[in-house]
Amino acid sequence: MEDEKIIGLFFDRSESAISETDKKYGKPCRRLTYNVTGNYEDSEECVNDTYMRLWNVIPPKRPPDFAAYLFRIARNIALNLIRGRGAGKRGGAMRSVDYDEIAECLPDKNTVERQTDDDTAIKAIEKFLASLPREKQIIFLKRYWYFSTVSDIATELNISESKVKMTLMRAREKLRAELEKEGIEI
């Protein structure tokens, strides 16, 4: 079913909106939330919460890109679940991404300048992603947005793990250079 029709079902308050959303996006949504939580039960809870959130915001909201909107909600719910449980304090933070890996090229969140540069940083990251070839964009987003493991990315794209690692390393270096060029403090 087309996304516009699914959104229409939400506006009609039809319960089939949830089942149609699950049919079309359930599997990738569960995969995303599992990549963040590392736990199937938590993943399922996040997906259910995502559907509830969609039900509560549509209407009145009509997202222009339903899939992106859905995945953003799911990702944020999963991240909030992990944060809420204090998993990082117990060493059980997100299973697939070592934040030290990308932290070196992200702006320091504790500076006043950082708070005022949010829009500039977002635009610079968007520009950076747009400058990457399609395969490198996919690798970068799968790793840092969808929390996929290096081995999962390599398998999905039918490339070696070393190529994924090298692509990520070079992309991080390029991102860092782009942010510094824009005057964003790192």
Side-chain angles (χ1 to χ4, degrees):
M1 181 178 279
E2 295 298 317
D3 289 353
E4 272 306 310
K5 289 183 180 179
I6 294 172
I7 292 171
L9 292 172
F10 278 102
F11 270 86
D12 294 341
R13 305 314 284 164
S14 170
E15 290 182 22
S16 63
I18 301 295
S19 61
E20 291 299 327
T21 301
D22 192 58
K23 266 190 235 176
K24 187 168 184 179
Y25 295 111
K27 186 176 179 181
C29 196
R30 283 176 183 80
R31 181 186 207 188
L32 167 62
T33 57
Y34 177 78
N35 284 347
V36 176
T37 64
N39 179 292
Y40 289 110
E41 291 81 17
D42 288 345
S43 172
E44 194 61 38
E45 178 183 335
C46 290
V47 170
N48 290 334
D49 290 349
T50 299
Y51 295 157
M52 179 62 87
R53 178 92 38 93
L54 283 174
W55 185 261
N56 290 331
V57 297
I58 304 175
K61 193 158 189 75
R62 184 176 288 274
D65 186 337
F66 182 70
Y69 189 72
L70 167 75
F71 293 136
R72 182 175 175 204
I73 290 171
R75 181 181 185 271
N76 289 340
I77 287 172
L79 288 169
N80 288 338
L81 178 74
I82 293 298
R83 286 185 198 116
R85 291 192 175 157
K89 294 177 185 173
R90 294 188 301 270
M94 286 150 262
R95 71 177 184 91
S96 60
V97 174
D98 178 1
Y99 277 99
D100 293 336
E101 184 178 306
I102 196 164
E104 66 193 32
C105 48
L106 293 177
D108 179 9
K109 66 180 179 183
N110 295 322
T111 66
V112 173
E113 294 84 13
R114 165 66 175 104
Q115 293 171 353
T116 59
D117 285 345
D118 279 349
D119 287 341
T120 306
I122 289 168
K123 287 177 183 166
I125 291 170
E126 288 173 348
K127 179 181 164 188
F128 159 74
L129 285 171
S131 74
L132 293 177
R134 183 79 174 135
E135 181 182 59
K136 291 178 182 179
Q137 285 178 359
I138 291 169
I139 291 170
F140 192 87
L141 289 172
K142 282 187 176 291
R143 182 70 173 146
Y144 300 119
W145 180 260
Y146 294 104
F147 299 98
S148 296
T149 63
V150 169
S151 62
D152 287 347
I153 296 168
T155 301
E156 279 183 51
L157 300 178
N158 199 26
I159 57 177
S160 70
E161 287 186 29
S162 62
K163 180 176 180 178
V164 172
K165 290 176 185 176
M166 186 58 68
T167 299
L168 290 169
M169 183 190 73
R170 289 179 179 155
R172 288 190 308 269
E173 289 171 358
K174 186 176 178 183
L175 174 59
R176 181 183 179 92
E178 286 291 320
L179 292 175
E180 287 175 347
K181 188 171 94 176
E182 293 291 329
I184 298 169
E185 222 178 286
I186 299 175

